[in-house]
Amino acid sequence: MSQLLLVLRARHQLILGILAATVGVVLLLSLILPKSYKATATLVLNYTGIDPVTGIAYPGQMMPSYLQTQVNIIKSRSAAIKVVKELKLAERPDLREKFESATEGRGNIDDWIGERLLKKLEVVPARDSNVVDLTYQARSPEEAAAVANAFAAAYQETSLQLKVAPARGAASYLNDQAKTLRESLEAAQKRLSAFQQEHGLSSADGRFDVESLRLTELSAQLVTVQGQLTDARSRQRNSRADNTVSPDVLASPLIQNMRSQVAQAEARFAQTEARFTADHPSYQQARVELDRLRAALERNVNAATGGVASSASILQEREAELRNAVNEQKAKVLQLNQARDQLSLLAKEVESAQSAYDNATKRVSQTHLEGRFNQPDATVLNAAQPPFRASFPNLPINIGLSVLAGLLLGLGAGLMAEMRDRRVRTAVDLAEAMQLPVLGSIDWKPNRKTGARLPGAPIPQLLAHH
């Protein structure tokens, strides 16, 4: 280390010269090179995970890819062309001359300028945050701020277009589908109305209940008439066997009264027969009276038994009529049941068509809202302002780096010079160069008055060397 320090001390002029030259060259270049300025616009991505129109929640795992996607959108060709058109850069003569010189007039000037802008644009998303910095470097501070703000605005417009474009594209398709579904609904409603008019049905369930109740009533009446007919036939059979003991005859008060009168007439006739001869007027009168009463009794008995037969005949006709009515009612109920099933099917078709049309209409309204949505997912937190100082060249940083580089170059040059031209600077150097032992050294001290070096006290140093 002592030898190194001696070498640096001996070569200090070379080191300082290189240091001064390096600092001078860097300072000169910093003053000569054109200045460039950086302006930064800060955006906040309003990513909440919930779509404001549809209300659909997106998973939080999409956040990293979402940020990278927004960075790619900012640095996209579409956003760059929007900046070119917004700032009317294609109309600048200097850029047109550079475009003609670089491409010989081939290609699109907007694309060419956009590529140049993207090369100078730096997009840096903040770590663990939704903040994104857009930094643009230009020759003038006003241009840097204008381009940075233009990129922020172009990103907002581009992201909004990407968000609403699918909805606007789907709106036309959904409108066509809604028209088709409405036509299907109208056709289903017409079929239902035609079926109702054809069968006279307003509510199949209500009429079915009425007809079913009528069938039940007719069935009950038929059962009642059948029971009455069976009873009448039984009485008719009894009257045919012996009408005097027929229940209808026995139950008739008139016949029982007439039987009592016949019995009384027979008693009187017996008394008259015992007292008078057949030619006597009293005998003949009693005989006529008895015959009249017996004839009347027979007529009433025959009338009673005939009433039983007539009642049985009437009940038989009534039973036949009710049976036909029940059969007709059953056929009507079965037909009505089929009509109800058909009507229910048509009603379900109408309901299904109505549901599909309602869903399509709801989706059409939703897509229209999405297509008219004009709120971008990003907000400008800090607009870019023209910087006061140039970002390049940075004079303090350049001088600091030039000092460091000059020192390194100077030290390297000093060491290289020392290696090419070795000097004896210590006793160790002399011993190594001469391959002889050093027996002693004299420390020369400068004179305080004249500054000349005078020999001081010798300091003998004996080295054991053979």
Side-chain angles (χ1 to χ4, degrees):
M1 182 60 67
S2 61
Q3 290 178 350
L4 179 61
L5 294 176
L6 291 175
V7 169
L8 296 179
R9 181 179 180 182
R11 304 288 182 176
H12 70 278
Q13 294 181 352
L14 176 62
I15 296 173
L16 293 177
I18 293 176
L19 174 61
T22 304
V23 174
V25 170
V26 172
L27 179 61
L28 181 62
L29 291 176
S30 299
L31 297 176
I32 293 176
L33 290 176
K35 297 181 180 181
S36 62
Y37 299 84
K38 287 185 177 181
T40 302
T42 304
L43 295 174
V44 177
L45 304 182
N46 302 322
Y47 181 76
T48 60
I50 300 177
D51 191 275
V53 177
T54 62
I56 299 176
Y58 298 101
Q61 291 81 355
M62 294 178 61
M63 197 62 187
S65 61
Y66 175 80
L67 287 174
Q68 187 59 41
T69 301
Q70 304 314 304
V71 171
N72 294 335
I73 293 175
I74 296 172
K75 301 182 70 174
S76 64
R77 171 179 169 272
S78 177
I81 292 178
K82 285 184 174 63
V83 173
V84 173
K85 293 181 178 180
E86 176 67 21
L87 300 180
K88 300 179 180 179
L89 299 179
E91 300 178 3
R92 287 176 47 177
D94 56 338
L95 293 178
R96 284 193 167 275
E97 291 179 1
K98 292 180 179 179
F99 170 71
E100 295 290 341
S101 176
T103 64
E104 298 180 356
R106 293 174 296 182
N108 191 338
I109 187 173
D110 292 341
D111 294 338
W112 183 79
I113 297 176
E115 291 179 0
R116 289 172 59 89
L117 295 178
L118 292 175
K119 291 179 180 179
K120 299 179 181 179
L121 178 67
E122 183 180 5
V123 182
V124 179
R127 186 176 181 180
D128 298 332
S129 175
N130 294 346
V131 177
V132 178
D133 293 333
L134 282 69
T135 303
Y136 185 78
Q137 183 176 0
R139 295 294 179 85
S140 66
E142 292 79 9
E143 180 182 359
V147 174
N149 290 329
F151 263 105
Y155 161 69
Q156 290 179 317
E157 182 180 355
T158 303
S159 63
L160 184 59
Q161 288 178 353
L162 293 175
K163 186 174 183 178
V164 302
R168 292 176 180 175
S172 176
Y173 170 77
L174 290 175
N175 283 329
D176 296 338
Q177 292 299 313
K179 292 179 181 179
T180 303
L181 292 174
R182 183 176 60 187
E183 294 175 356
S184 301
L185 175 61
E186 292 175 354
Q189 289 176 342
K190 289 180 180 179
R191 289 194 297 270
L192 178 60
S193 300
F195 185 83
Q196 287 177 334
Q197 292 177 1
E198 180 181 358
H199 294 81
L201 297 175
S202 59
S203 176
D205 292 335
R207 184 174 175 184
F208 181 79
D209 293 339
V210 172
E211 298 296 340
S212 298
L213 180 60
R214 185 177 178 185
L215 176 61
T216 303
E217 292 177 353
L218 290 175
S219 299
Q221 293 177 10
L222 177 61
V223 171
T224 302
V225 170
Q226 285 176 346
Q228 293 175 354
L229 177 60
T230 302
D231 183 63
R233 287 176 176 174
S234 178
R235 293 198 308 270
Q236 186 180 12
R237 287 193 298 269
N238 291 333
S239 64
R240 287 177 181 176
D242 186 2
N243 57 4
T244 58
V245 294
S246 174
D248 294 295
V249 173
L250 294 176
S252 176
L254 177 62
I255 294 175
Q256 297 303 323
N257 187 22
M258 292 188 69
R259 282 183 174 179
S260 176
Q261 293 178 4
V262 169
Q264 293 176 4
E266 288 178 348
R268 289 193 300 270
F269 177 74
Q271 292 176 2
T272 301
E273 185 179 13
R275 293 174 60 189
F276 302 102
T277 62
D279 295 332
H280 194 276
S282 298
Y283 178 87
Q284 293 179 356
Q285 182 179 3
R287 183 71 181 179
V288 170
E289 181 68 19
L290 179 61
D291 293 337
R292 184 183 64 81
L293 290 175
R294 286 177 176 177
L297 176 61
E298 186 177 359
R299 287 195 302 270
N300 287 327
V301 170
N302 293 332
T305 56
V308 173
S310 177
S311 177
S313 178
I314 293 172
L315 289 174
Q316 186 176 0
E317 293 178 358
R318 178 61 177 165
E319 189 266 345
E321 292 176 358
L322 286 175
R323 183 179 290 109
N324 293 332
V326 168
N327 293 332
E328 292 177 359
Q329 190 64 22
K330 284 182 179 180
K332 184 182 293 186
V333 170
L334 291 175
Q335 184 179 3
L336 185 60
N337 193 14
Q338 294 176 356
R340 183 182 66 171
D341 294 339
Q342 185 67 21
L343 183 64
S344 177
L345 180 61
L346 293 175
K348 288 182 179 179
E349 290 181 358
V350 172
E351 183 180 358
S352 177
Q354 183 69 48
S355 177
Y357 177 70
D358 292 341
N359 292 333
T361 304
K362 181 179 179 181
R363 184 55 185 157
V364 167
S365 301
Q366 183 176 336
T367 53
H368 280 301
L369 287 176
E370 294 176 0
R372 291 193 296 267
F373 188 71
N374 58 357
Q375 297 296 325
D377 290 338
T379 304
V380 177
L381 179 62
N382 295 318
Q385 301 295 331
F388 298 102
R389 296 179 180 178
S391 61
F392 179 84
N394 193 329
L395 190 59
I397 295 178
N398 291 346
I399 291 178
L401 294 176
S402 65
V403 170
L404 179 61
L407 285 176
L408 294 176
L409 291 175
L411 292 175
L415 293 176
M416 291 295 296
E418 184 66 20
M419 291 177 64
R420 294 179 60 183
D421 184 12
R422 291 283 290 163
R423 300 292 182 92
V424 176
R425 304 189 185 282
T426 62
V428 177
D429 295 339
L430 182 61
E432 291 181 354
M434 301 299 295
Q435 297 295 319
L436 294 174
V438 178
L439 300 179
S441 63
I442 298 176
D443 183 14
W444 293 89
K445 296 181 179 180
N447 192 341
R448 294 181 179 178
K449 295 182 178 180
T450 61
R453 289 183 175 272
L454 296 176
I459 303 176
Q461 297 179 358
L462 299 179
L463 302 177
H465 182 73
H466 298 279

